[in-house]
Amino acid sequence: MASKVTVKAPSSTANLGPGFDVFGLAVDAFFDEVTLTKKKEKGITIISADNIPTNPEQNTAGLVVKNMIKKFKTKDGIEIKIKKGVPAGFGMGSSAASAAAAAVAFNKLYNLKLDDNSLVEFAGSGEKASAGSVHYDNVAAAVLGGFVIVRTNPLSVIKIEPPTNLRMCIAVPKLQVPKKKTKVSRGVIPKKVKLTDSVLNLSNAACIVTGFIKKDPGLIGSSIKDVIVEPARKHMIPGFSRVKENALKAGAEGVTISGAGPSVIAFSKSSADLKKISGAMSRGFSSAKTKCQTIICKPSKGAISKIK
Ligand code: ADP
């Protein structure tokens, strides 16, 4: 059995508009790399040069490893080395990438042969360290890759291979994100929704799934429409309306907030002028005196491991 495993896991975008807490998509914009090494000394040590908690209880990878050690009654100590590529707190599934990489690495390290649902369940358990509650949309995408639909109670994850010509442009604004951003952005969502709004969102969500099944980026993009969560959250992102309007004018099929924000994601076909779309998004943020980084990207295949 290996004594050291390294896994690379991608960033992800959750919700895709109407699929709040249900849809996730792995994107090859950024990657985290997590190395687990067996140690004689008991306990979990986290090593990272990045600005993330190193207490295992407060780090998503640390919590995953802690839960897996407990479940599988393994005896070794574990050293967790985390190289962050996914910026934390920007709606790109940063904590999820570490959690996903940790779960996949632990599975390999002890040759556990866990199925997809179990891997996602362990990875999701780590999210408690960042969001305060367990949720699976980002981790499911980061573990499995592609487009995922998460059904809870009991947990089951459906993965659909995205069309090869689906492209995204992500704008990550250079903002100071609040410490409890996910909690704050969940707090602004209405507790009750109008039936007509829920019908609209449901119809668009159904079309997004159909778009992935039919491999139709046009149908996916034009169905990225959310009349419930986006209107409640958009005021938290300076210049959001302009960023969206600009991207649509430049040829994007659909635009929405990535996860809990503040990143904004535009969906397109590979034939679209993606440079024009990213320029248009940057100008949207500039109009609100905010700088941003734009990344043109495509769906990712998910976490991959290499035994060292
Ligand atoms: P987002 O999905 O918007 O990137 P996250 O859910 O990743 O936001 O939450 C980021 C928060 O999670 C940060 O405050 C960070 O301190 C905490 N966190 C805990 N463990 C990690 C980790 N391994 N990587 C990144 N962030 C982590």
Side-chain angles (χ1 to χ4, degrees):
M1 225 181 278
S3 63
K4 186 172 177 168
V5 173
T6 299
V7 171
K8 200 174 141 184
S11 47
S12 52
T13 183
N15 305 342
L16 289 90
F20 180 71
D21 273 359
V22 176
F23 293 167
L25 178 70
V27 292
D28 70 355
F30 309 101
F31 293 87
D32 274 12
E33 206 176 277
V34 173
T35 302
L36 300 188
T37 310
K38 288 181 190 169
K39 294 279 170 189
K40 288 215 170 61
E41 317 79 63
K42 289 231 173 292
I44 300 167
T45 342
I46 298 179
I47 301 173
S48 180
D50 304 284
N51 186 20
I52 51 167
T54 50
N55 175 343
E57 302 270 346
Q58 287 162 14
N59 187 295
T60 54
L63 193 53
V64 168
V65 169
K66 185 176 178 232
N67 292 338
M68 294 182 87
I69 288 176
K70 194 169 166 203
K71 176 77 184 180
F72 298 103
K73 300 186 172 61
T74 56
K75 303 279 181 255
D76 316 285
I78 299 284
E79 177 197 273
I80 309 173
K81 230 182 231 158
I82 306 174
K83 251 197 242 168
K84 294 293 302 173
V86 189
F90 286 86
M92 296 309 304
S94 178
S95 59
S98 295
V104 173
F106 196 94
N107 181 49
K108 261 272 178 321
L109 194 60
Y110 289 97
N111 200 18
L112 301 172
K113 299 193 165 62
L114 295 174
D115 62 18
D116 288 352
N117 276 345
S118 309
L119 280 174
V120 171
E121 200 153 11
F122 279 115
S125 76
E127 286 281 60
K128 213 169 175 188
S130 75
S133 61
V134 174
H135 63 106
Y136 299 99
D137 41 9
N138 287 105
V139 287
V143 169
L144 306 176
F147 174 67
V148 294
I149 302 168
V150 177
R151 193 155 64 147
T152 38
N153 247 340
L155 177 71
S156 73
V157 182
I158 295 165
K159 176 189 165 175
I160 307 174
E161 211 60 66
T164 52
N165 55 343
L166 179 66
R167 292 291 178 274
M168 281 77 63
C169 181
I170 295 167
V172 184
K174 295 200 161 66
L175 294 173
Q176 194 74 30
V177 283
K179 271 231 163 326
K180 299 264 173 216
K181 182 214 70 187
T182 304
K183 207 170 170 203
V184 174
S185 50
R186 287 186 96 85
V188 302
I189 299 168
K191 300 256 176 316
K192 288 187 174 167
V193 296
K194 277 204 317 221
L195 186 63
T196 46
D197 286 348
S198 103
V199 170
L200 260 174
N201 268 29
L202 179 60
S203 64
N204 280 309
C207 289
I208 290 174
V209 174
T210 309
F212 276 100
I213 294 171
K214 289 189 164 179
K215 312 269 184 254
D216 179 347
L219 182 57
I220 296 167
S222 62
S223 312
I224 305 276
K225 285 192 191 117
D226 163 26
V227 294
I228 298 171
V229 178
E230 186 184 295
R233 278 181 170 173
K234 65 180 182 190
H235 70 274
M236 298 172 79
I237 306 170
F240 175 79
S241 298
R242 188 65 77 81
V243 174
K244 180 170 178 172
E245 193 187 305
N246 283 4
L248 290 171
K249 272 195 193 142
E253 305 276 344
V255 181
T256 193
I257 301 168
S258 181
S263 298
V264 179
I265 183 163
F267 290 77
S268 296
K269 301 176 201 166
S270 55
S271 55
D273 190 343
L274 292 146
K275 281 223 171 89
K276 197 171 152 196
I277 296 169
S278 54
M281 293 175 90
S282 294
R283 279 194 302 283
F285 273 118
S286 300
S287 74
K289 299 191 170 41
T290 304
K291 289 200 169 64
C292 74
Q293 177 193 8
T294 54
I295 306 107
I296 292 167
C297 54
K298 55 183 192 312
S300 161
K301 293 199 183 310
I304 44 166
S305 65
K306 51 182 185 199
I307 296 178
K308 277 190 177 165

